[in-house]
Amino acid sequence: MTNDILKVENLKTWFAIRKGILRRTAGYVRAVDDVSFKIPAGSTFGLVGESGSGKTTTARTIAKLIPATSGEVVFEGKSILNLHQSKLRAIRKDIAYVFQDPYSSLNPRMTVGSILAEPLRVHKIAKGSELIDRIAGLLQKVGLSPSHINRYPHEFSGGQRQRIGIARALALEPKLVICDEPVSALDVSIQSQILNLLKDLQDQFNLTYLFIAHDLSVVEFISNTVAVMYLGKIVEIAPSAMLYEKPLHPYTKLLLSAIPRPIPERLKNTGQTAPTGKDNPHGCPFLGRCPVSDGFCCKQIPPLREVEPGHSVACFKV
């Protein structure tokens, strides 16, 4: 039996569109629309898609940073979406978050020592000399010197600031770390260092990652399983190697064709077009860009179904 640390079932996060003087609801933005997946303990689950596909909203809903419209999030066997604040506080120690921008996510008025001490003080885990020792240990774990404890975020490079963000995420010894595009704001040479650091920390502390990115080459390197999102829905889920070797959904093929390749002759031409902007709530969300769609695709939303062991896709043409 698989030991799943996180299960997301039929998760929806809709935002109301309000118009007029009375601010009446004229419709909804379906940022996350009926998303389901599970993450085994100690593994890395990659969530990929274009900007606006709903990746970050999914992550922030799981972390209870924004409210869910409906659905269920089960963490270690406990449903957490409707937990009372007092019980949720204990869960928050086990779910950490690494943000995309390493500069804006750190308080510029606080020293590195104060930033790392804050979660330890809030949860009353350490104080005094023990607190200082734990902060020094966190800095060493992410490849920084304990002598940096009194410096401010602006005194560090982008890669170093992200290391501080990772150290803060590890402060409470979490079980699940949500990495929301943690390397997209960094230089390519620094990205590999941060990715290797995350893998080393996972091996050392048996961490589970929900890793969000729009760069499929990055996700391929770090993930065990990959889910592809488009307009709030998951359109394909498969083990990383299987997804990259045998993509089934037209959108996944489009994303893979956009990965830069060293040999120009190997560039793929899928013939797929840019989004049309048409809203078709009754049919496939990828209808306006799909090269293989037909009249049936505009009548129903394709369900996510398993077509082979471990490989699920939401497409009528597969």
Side-chain angles (χ1 to χ4, degrees):
M1 182 177 180
T2 304
N3 181 22
D4 297 322
I5 193 171
L6 182 74
K7 290 183 180 179
V8 178
E9 298 178 354
N10 307 115
L11 185 65
K12 295 182 180 180
T13 306
W14 294 4
F15 299 101
I17 302 171
R18 304 187 186 278
K19 295 184 178 179
I21 298 176
L22 299 178
R23 308 300 294 164
R24 289 176 177 166
T25 300
Y28 293 92
V29 175
R30 303 182 182 189
V32 179
D33 195 17
D34 200 20
V35 165
S36 300
F37 60 85
K38 56 187 178 181
I39 307 178
S43 68
T44 299
F45 186 88
L47 195 57
V48 300
E50 296 169 310
S51 296
S53 60
K55 308 183 301 296
T56 294
T57 304
T58 299
R60 296 194 175 196
T61 304
I62 292 171
K64 289 281 288 180
L65 298 179
I66 55 178
T69 302
S70 64
E72 190 172 27
V73 175
V74 179
F75 179 73
E76 290 194 316
K78 297 180 181 178
S79 180
I80 65 174
L81 287 185
N82 298 315
L83 277 183
H84 188 269
Q85 191 65 30
S86 59
K87 294 182 179 179
L88 184 62
R89 187 183 182 91
I91 298 292
R92 287 195 183 280
K93 291 172 58 179
D94 294 326
I95 302 177
Y97 208 109
V98 178
F99 295 90
Q100 177 178 0
D101 187 347
Y103 189 73
S104 62
S105 65
L106 302 176
N107 191 330
R109 296 180 176 86
M110 295 174 66
T111 64
V112 170
S114 299
I115 290 170
L116 299 183
E118 188 174 31
L120 297 169
R121 285 176 176 149
V122 167
H123 289 273
K124 299 178 181 179
I125 291 177
K127 60 181 180 179
S129 60
E130 182 185 357
L131 180 63
I132 300 299
D133 291 341
R134 292 195 65 151
I135 293 171
L138 286 169
L139 289 172
Q140 288 177 327
K141 286 175 184 176
V142 298
L144 295 175
S145 171
S147 63
H148 294 157
I149 194 169
N150 292 319
R151 294 187 183 181
Y152 289 87
H154 73 270
E155 299 180 71
F156 296 89
S157 67
Q160 289 175 321
R161 284 195 288 263
Q162 194 60 289
R163 289 174 186 267
I164 296 169
I166 294 171
R168 179 179 58 185
L170 296 178
L172 299 177
E173 299 179 355
K175 298 175 182 177
L176 172 67
V177 180
I178 300 174
C179 302
D180 188 1
E181 303 208 32
V183 297
S184 63
L186 305 177
D187 293 339
V188 175
S189 60
I190 305 300
Q191 287 183 10
S192 60
Q193 296 178 19
I194 298 300
L195 291 173
N196 285 324
L197 172 64
L198 289 171
K199 292 194 76 171
D200 291 342
L201 291 171
Q202 183 177 41
D203 294 338
Q204 186 176 353
F205 301 106
N206 194 32
L207 298 172
T208 304
Y209 290 143
L210 171 56
F211 192 93
I212 296 169
H214 60 265
D215 187 337
L216 270 77
S217 58
V218 169
V219 176
E220 180 182 17
F221 173 75
I222 198 169
S223 301
N224 302 106
T225 304
V226 179
V228 181
M229 282 194 75
Y230 183 74
L231 292 183
K233 293 182 177 293
I234 290 180
V235 297
E236 188 164 0
I237 299 179
S240 180
M242 185 182 295
L243 185 84
Y244 285 82
E245 291 175 6
K246 188 183 176 183
L248 297 179
H249 197 279
Y251 179 60
T252 308
K253 295 177 182 178
L254 176 63
L255 289 179
L256 289 173
S257 71
I259 298 177
R261 300 175 186 274
I263 304 175
E265 290 77 10
R266 294 184 184 176
L267 290 172
K268 297 179 181 178
N269 182 11
T270 62
Q272 293 170 345
T273 59
T276 62
K278 295 179 180 178
D279 183 18
N280 182 22
H282 304 296
C284 176
F286 194 61
L287 181 66
R289 302 173 69 179
C290 184
V292 297
S293 62
D294 58 19
F296 185 74
C297 297
C298 66
K299 298 177 181 178
Q300 274 188 292
I301 297 175
L304 187 66
R305 57 190 176 85
E306 190 173 53
V307 294
E308 55 187 27
H311 198 159
S312 300
V313 63
C315 182
F316 292 125
K317 297 298 180 178
V318 176

